Amino acid sequence: AFNLVASVVSRIRLYAAVVDNPADSPVPARNSDVIDARLAAAAERAITRLDSAYGGQAGLLRDAALNLSVSGECYLVQFPERKGSGLKESWDIRSTDELQLDSKNSYVIIPRRDIIGTSSSRSGANGIKLPNTAFVGRIWRAHPRYSEEADSSLRGLLDLCSELLLLNRTFRATARSRLNAGALYLPDGLSVAASPDPDYPYDDENDLNPGMTAEEAADEFEDQLMDAMTTPIRDEDSASAVVPLIIRGPAELGDKIKQFKFERSFDPALAQRADRVLERILQGLDVPKDIVTGLANVKYSNALQIDEALYKSHIEPLMLLIADALTVVYLRPALIASGFAEEDVSRITVWFDPSQVATRNDRAADADSGFDKMAVSYETWRRAHGFAATDAPDPNELAIRLLVEKGSLSPELTQAMIGAIAPEVMKSVRDAQQVDSVAPVPQEIQQILENATPPAPTEPAEEEEELPPALREGI
C-alpha cells in the first residue's frame, strides 16, 4: 500500500515558489515580482541540490513518503562532497533506525540491521560516520497530543498487525504439521509376500524357519517395508512406484494395522478471524482500501472517484507535509545562511508540481470542451493531454494547416492571417513580388504595410526629402 503511495509521490516535481497572496497557490520564484532575482536564483539552486544518490530527487521523495507513511518520521541527511574521492554531494532520506549516535555523540549511518545494538555500532566501526559539517534535519508528522512525537496511520494498527502475524504463524505451523507422515502400527507376525524363496522366514504353515528368531524376522520385515516406501521417492522408475507391497500373515492381524497422524486440523474460525483482522488493517491505513486490493471488486464508474480520492485525500496532504518540512528544515535556513534577509526569505517556500499524477481521467475531455468554447488556451489543452510546449506546431506549419483546412480565402484575409501568424512567410512573399514587379512598392510604404518602424535617416533631417501628402497622411 505504501509502496504505491511512494511511487506516486516520486513522480511529483519540487520547485522554489513565492507566496504572493496567501489565498492563492504559490507562484514559481522566477515568475514573481515581489522578491529579488538573486534570491529566486539562489532558491532554485538550493532545490536543485536535493539530489539523492538513490534515484535523484524522485528517490528522495519516494523514501520520504515511505518513512512518513510507516513510522511517521525520517531524517534528511547530507553527505558533503569528499574531495579526492570523486563522490559528489548527496542528500538522502534515512530512517530513525539507520541514523544513530556513536559513543562520541557523532552521527553514524548503520546500513544493516545485523549490527544494530552491537559494540561495533556504538563505536561506529561498521557504520558510515558523517563529518561534523554534514547537515541532518528531522522530518516528522506531528502527533496530535505530543507535537514532537511522530505519528502515522500504521502506529495505531500495530496490535492488529501483531495479531495477524500470530494467526499466520498458527496457519504455518498447522501446514507444517501435515508434512509429518505420522506413525504406522503393525502387529507381530506379518511378513512381506514374495515368490518362493528358500531364505523366506516363513514356511507353508506360516511358522518361523528354524534358523531365524521372531525378533530377526520382525526387523527384516520392517526393513523391507521401509525400503518399499522410500524407493519410489528415490527412483520414480522403480517397480515399487506402481506395484503395491504385498504383506502376508494371519487374517486376524489385518484389522489391527493402523496409522496414527500427528497433523493439526485447520480451524475455520481462525481463518475468519484473520480475514476480519486484515479488513480492519486495510480500513485503518492512510490509503483507500480498494487501491490496496487492486480494484478487484470495484466497477469502472467508481474507479475514477478512487483515483481522485487517492490524490486529494492521501497524496496531496503528504506532499504538503514534505514541502513544508523541506521549507522549514532546509530551504529557508540555507538561504539565511547565504546572507539573504530573513524578511525576504520568509516569502520563499518549497512547492510541488503534481501535473504528472493529479490529472483526472476525464480532464482531457474537459480540455477539449473548454477549447471549443474558447475558455482555455492551446498551452492548457496540450498540458491536459500530456503534450509539452515543444510539441506545438511552428508558425509555418500552422499557416499551412490553416490554408489547407479553410480551402479558399479572400486575398486580404489570407494576407492578414499569414502576416499575423507567420510574418517571415509574408515577408518572403513580398520580397519575391518586389523582385518580379515592374513597379515595386517604395520602401516606406512597404514598412507601413509590415507595421514596422521606418529606419533612421542617414542624412540630417533638414536635408530629408519631403514625402508626398498622401503618403504623409498614411503615416
Side-chain angles (χ1 to χ4, degrees), residues 232-284:
I233 299 177
R234 297 192 305 267
D235 184 10
E236 295 181 357
D237 296 332
S238 65
S240 299
V242 293
V243 179
L245 181 66
I246 301 177
I247 302 175
R248 56 183 298 190
E252 62 272 11
L253 297 182
D255 297 336
K256 296 182 180 180
I257 300 176
K258 297 180 181 180
Q259 182 185 9
F260 300 94
K261 295 183 179 181
F262 301 141
E263 64 182 21
R264 298 168 57 181
S265 60
F266 282 101
D267 188 354
L270 291 180
Q272 296 177 1
R273 175 61 183 173
D275 292 338
R276 289 196 298 269
V277 171
L278 181 59
E279 183 75 12
R280 293 178 61 187
I281 292 176
L282 293 178
Q283 292 177 351

Side-chain angles (χ1 to χ4, degrees), residues 99-108 110 121-124:
L99 185 66
Q100 301 287 338
L101 287 174
D102 59 8
S103 56
K104 299 181 181 179
N105 288 332
S106 298
Y107 285 113
V108 177
I110 307 298
S121 66
R122 291 189 294 270
S123 62

